[in-house]
Amino acid sequence: MIKKTLGYKGDFQKNQEKIIYLFTLVGVFSTTIFAIINIYVGNIATGIIEIFLSFLAILNVVYFKKTKKFETATTNILALVFLVLILLIKTGGFKGHGIFWIYTFPFLTFFLKNKKIALLWNLIFIIFIFLLWFLSLKGFIEIAYDFYTLFEATSAYLAVTFLAYFYADTLKELMDELVSKAIYDSLTGLVNREFTIEYLRKEIEEIKRERKNSHSLCVIYIDLDNFKQINDKYGHLIGDNVLKEVAKIFAKNFRKSDVIGRIGGDEFLIIINSCKKSSIEDKLELIKKMVENQFKKYNLSFSYGIVQIPDDTLNLEDAIKLADQKMYKNKVKKS
């Protein structure tokens, strides 16, 4: 939900995008140098193929820069690297050292793709290695390496692949744990204050960039009524359980695309895209009745204030402050 809602890539994917540029730069430079050497020593066909693959790699970077289609660009990179490595196994590369380059492929696949897709790429690559050997054995083609060399290299390749797999798996678990701690409130499971404010900031910036104000937001500031009395009379453990249940009610009755954040002890900020104030008020009144019925024993309710963006303001601090003020006015009316 959160990643889809946010629409931003995060540091890890930014680093993945840098790899597209960096690996292409290094790959094109290396391949071009070896292409020149191959042409110089008389392997003209191999040199021309290497130059052509370098040209395709440059086109892929241009494509990615224009479209930002990360999955397609990374697939293109892996396909090009795949072809280069198969070519190196076929020809032996410069002085027969080409096979050493195959050990870069597992780490590249696991860095650019998810575990299942990366494993599939490596499996296909190993199959192609033995397909080349089989074709050479039958006399259809010639390759630079005998079976024992290929078997030894492939065995080492499998070890590197498994290491890359377990490293990627461990890294993903750590990343997920860090992201969870950085984004979610540990008590309620809702997103925390920092995430909610940052999300709202990004949404307001996007609205400012749009020429037409077709994009709108509703910012809802909610404060529970009589919650302090629950903590004072029944204890903080009961109070924490009440907060968890209220959070569940909010999560159940808003869309998955809506961001519901706990921004204080018993304060919540809800951000809704493409909203109508009247329909939101109707929904909030229904939710309020649910809370009141479920926690009748504690005389619990909530007050809220709604701000529409861009109609009311296009300033982050003003939006939160204005919603807070409207909430407070509703709370005062009740008392």
Side-chain angles (χ1 to χ4, degrees):
M1 166 192 156
I2 296 304
K3 290 181 180 178
K4 184 179 179 182
T5 303
L6 261 181
Y8 76 87
K9 301 179 181 74
D11 291 338
F12 184 68
Q13 189 161 332
K14 286 179 182 177
N15 287 331
Q16 287 179 310
E17 292 176 0
K18 289 178 184 177
I19 284 292
I20 291 178
Y21 298 113
L22 181 61
F23 197 85
T24 300
L25 177 65
V26 173
V28 167
F29 177 78
S30 302
T31 306
T32 303
I33 293 297
F34 286 118
I36 293 170
I37 293 174
N38 278 314
I39 291 172
Y40 180 76
V41 299
N43 298 325
I44 297 175
T46 301
I48 292 173
I49 292 173
E50 288 173 334
I51 289 174
F52 177 68
L53 292 174
S54 297
F55 176 70
L56 291 179
I58 293 171
L59 286 180
N60 184 55
V61 167
V62 173
Y63 166 82
F64 176 68
K65 195 168 182 64
K66 287 186 176 181
T67 65
K68 292 298 179 182
K69 292 182 178 180
F70 179 78
E71 288 299 322
T72 304
T74 54
T75 299
N76 292 340
I77 283 182
L78 292 179
L80 289 170
V81 173
F82 189 103
L83 291 173
V84 170
L85 294 178
I86 293 297
L87 180 65
L88 289 174
I89 293 171
K90 165 79 171 60
T91 63
F94 186 62
K95 293 186 177 181
H97 296 156
I99 200 166
F100 295 129
W101 285 93
I102 68 174
Y103 303 113
T104 63
F105 196 60
F107 288 105
L108 184 64
T109 55
F110 282 103
F111 191 80
L112 294 179
K113 297 292 186 181
N114 65 54
K115 293 184 299 181
K116 291 182 179 180
I117 299 298
L119 274 176
L120 182 61
W121 272 99
N122 285 279
L123 177 62
I124 293 172
F125 183 68
I126 291 171
I127 291 172
F128 261 81
I129 290 177
F130 284 102
L131 179 62
L132 288 176
W133 168 78
F134 179 78
L135 291 174
S136 70
L137 184 67
K138 295 298 182 181
F140 293 110
I141 61 171
E142 290 185 6
I143 61 174
Y145 305 100
D146 58 32
F147 173 77
Y148 296 103
T149 303
L150 284 176
F151 182 78
E152 188 174 0
T154 306
S155 299
Y157 181 92
L158 280 170
V160 173
T161 299
F162 284 123
L163 284 172
Y165 174 86
F166 289 114
Y167 178 78
D169 194 43
T170 302
L171 183 62
K172 184 180 183 302
E173 288 180 3
L174 290 173
M175 288 286 292
D176 289 344
E177 185 178 349
L178 287 172
V179 168
S180 180
K181 289 181 178 179
I183 290 179
Y184 295 99
D185 172 56
S186 59
L187 178 64
T188 63
L190 301 177
V191 291
N192 60 25
R193 178 184 181 88
E194 290 75 16
F195 177 89
T196 306
I197 300 301
E198 185 60 25
Y199 173 82
L200 181 56
R201 185 191 308 280
K202 289 179 180 292
E203 289 296 306
I204 290 176
E205 287 174 359
E206 186 177 331
I207 291 174
K208 286 179 179 178
R209 286 194 297 268
E210 291 178 352
R211 294 182 179 180
K212 295 180 180 180
N213 292 331
S214 56
H215 184 191
S216 63
L217 293 175
C218 278
V219 180
I220 307 165
Y221 201 115
I222 293 178
D223 184 87
L224 299 184
D225 300 331
N226 305 318
F227 181 73
K228 185 176 181 302
Q229 286 83 339
I230 297 175
N231 280 333
D232 293 343
K233 186 175 180 180
Y234 298 97
H236 288 278
L237 184 61
I238 296 297
D240 287 348
N241 287 332
V242 168
L243 283 175
K244 290 178 186 178
E245 293 303 316
V246 170
K248 287 180 183 178
I249 293 173
F250 288 159
K252 186 178 180 180
N253 287 279
F254 284 97
R255 301 172 302 184
K256 289 185 177 180
S257 59
D258 300 331
V259 171
I260 309 167
R262 183 189 177 206
I263 60 171
D266 61 341
E267 297 172 305
F268 302 85
L269 199 68
I270 301 175
I271 303 164
I272 301 175
N273 278 281
S274 303
C275 63
K276 292 182 179 180
K277 190 174 179 181
S278 58
S279 60
I280 292 300
E281 285 179 337
D282 292 340
K283 175 178 281 192
L284 286 168
E285 289 299 322
L286 288 173
I287 295 172
K288 185 165 68 171
K289 288 179 181 178
M290 293 179 194
V291 171
E292 290 171 349
N293 290 334
Q294 185 166 335
F295 300 102
K296 192 177 294 184
K297 173 183 176 181
Y298 305 120
N299 194 30
L300 186 71
S301 185
F302 64 76
S303 300
Y304 61 86
I306 305 173
V307 167
Q308 285 188 292
I309 296 174
D311 294 349
D312 294 327
T313 182
L314 266 174
N315 180 276
L316 173 67
E317 290 76 16
D318 289 346
I320 297 172
K321 183 178 179 181
L322 186 56
D324 185 18
Q325 289 173 345
K326 290 184 176 183
M327 177 278 297
Y328 184 71
K329 285 181 181 178
N330 287 331
K331 189 179 286 285
V332 170
K333 285 180 182 178
K334 287 183 181 180
S335 59

